[in-house]
Amino acid sequence: MNYTTAVFDMDGTVLNTLGDLTDSMNYALEAAGHAHSYTEDDVRQFFGSGVTVAIVRALAREAGTELSDLEQVGTANDTITDTIDAAEVQKIQEIYTPYYAAHCDIKTGPYAGILEVLEKLRAAGIKTAVVSNKPDIAVQKLVNDLFTGMFDLSVGEMEGVRRKPAPDMTEKALRDLGTADKRDAVYIGDSEIDMQTAENSGLDCISVDWGFRGRKFLEEHRAKTIVSRPEEILPLILG
């Protein structure tokens, strides 16, 4: 079907942020005296639900939790977070947040083909937004630096607005864009959090397999529509 509004996730969907996320996480962990040699493959499993969850996952991994078990952190089935020192998580986050804000664009860049897709959506009159669990200061910096004129609206994690997969951030974006009928909007993301966000927001979802989760993972989590190249998004939105 045709849509008038496209809401994109940021990390793993429009931007490859893994290099800077990995460097910043390792920096903060090292500064706080923790294991700090995580690879990009490790860190892609930490992120998706915001920095607090990512830090909990990193500390749980340090304590011996299997990578495959980290998905439960931040969910209703979470049995891991209570085993992690909340004060330590807060200390690491206070190191991480300003460091990442200052170093979020060193290795980060749009995925090949994304800018062209956004340009074509804009030319077709589609309203576009990016909604991310990243701190809002980093979201605004990256959008301003790397996506000039590509998004009508960008929303990052902020006080008073529940982070994804709660629908609050996406619903705020739709209100601000003037999209009253949710049937006119589609959500595009790369993770299980994005699928849950779309469902909780009452939106159709397009999953991309080039980001933080691969096609097998997305299929196992019952993704309905999966694309492997950015240009495959266009006919799904424009019809």
Side-chain angles (χ1 to χ4, degrees):
M1 65 178 291
N2 292 37
Y3 300 99
T4 64
T5 303
V7 180
F8 289 83
D9 170 53
M10 179 171 271
D11 294 40
T13 301
V14 297
L15 275 183
N16 185 350
T17 56
L18 268 177
D20 289 327
L21 289 174
T22 300
D23 290 350
S24 297
M25 181 61 71
N26 282 331
Y27 173 87
L29 291 169
E30 180 179 17
H34 291 277
H36 54 274
S37 59
Y38 293 113
T39 67
E40 290 187 9
D41 281 341
D42 295 327
V43 172
R44 75 170 66 243
Q45 304 300 324
F46 297 166
F47 280 91
S49 298
V51 64
T52 303
V53 169
I55 293 168
V56 170
R57 287 172 173 167
L59 294 179
R61 184 68 177 137
E62 179 185 33
T65 302
E66 295 294 329
L67 276 172
S68 58
D69 292 331
L70 295 181
E71 184 183 337
Q72 68 173 270
V73 177
T75 72
N77 300 319
D78 187 354
T79 61
I80 294 175
T81 296
D82 287 344
T83 69
I84 304 298
D85 186 345
E88 194 69 7
V89 173
Q90 180 65 29
K91 180 176 76 173
I92 296 167
Q93 186 164 344
E94 289 173 356
I95 299 168
Y96 173 91
T97 299
Y99 184 87
Y100 180 70
H103 299 83
C104 64
D105 57 355
I106 296 173
K107 298 179 179 179
T108 289
Y111 286 101
I114 282 292
L115 290 176
E116 291 82 358
V117 166
L118 291 171
E119 288 172 355
K120 289 177 180 178
L121 290 176
R122 301 284 288 175
I126 302 298
K127 292 180 283 189
T128 56
V130 63
V131 174
S132 173
N133 277 338
K134 301 170 81 65
D136 190 62
I137 186 172
V139 170
Q140 302 308 324
K141 176 177 175 57
L142 290 168
V143 168
N144 289 336
D145 291 350
L146 301 174
F147 294 101
T148 304
M150 293 292 102
F151 291 109
D152 295 296
L153 181 72
S154 51
V155 180
E157 185 178 26
M158 61 185 71
E159 187 174 352
V161 181
R162 291 183 300 170
R163 60 176 172 78
K164 302 183 294 182
D168 302 37
M169 301 171 81
T170 302
E171 291 180 343
K172 170 180 168 54
L174 295 180
R175 286 195 305 271
D176 291 351
L177 290 172
T179 303
D181 191 338
K182 291 183 176 181
R183 292 174 296 182
D184 292 333
V186 63
Y187 187 99
I188 303 99
D190 70 302
S191 74
E192 74 283 5
I193 298 301
D194 296 309
M195 286 186 279
Q196 293 164 16
T197 300
E199 181 177 1
N200 292 339
S201 303
L203 303 182
D204 292 339
C205 184
I206 300 170
S207 297
V208 308
D209 67 4
W210 56 75
F212 287 16
R213 309 289 190 264
R215 175 172 285 266
K216 180 180 178 182
F217 180 97
L218 295 171
E219 289 174 343
E220 289 173 347
H221 285 73
R222 299 182 296 281
K224 294 180 180 178
T225 303
I226 305 175
V227 297
S228 298
R229 293 176 294 145
E231 59 265 33
E232 293 175 15
I233 293 171
L234 291 171
L236 294 174
I237 293 177
L238 300 177

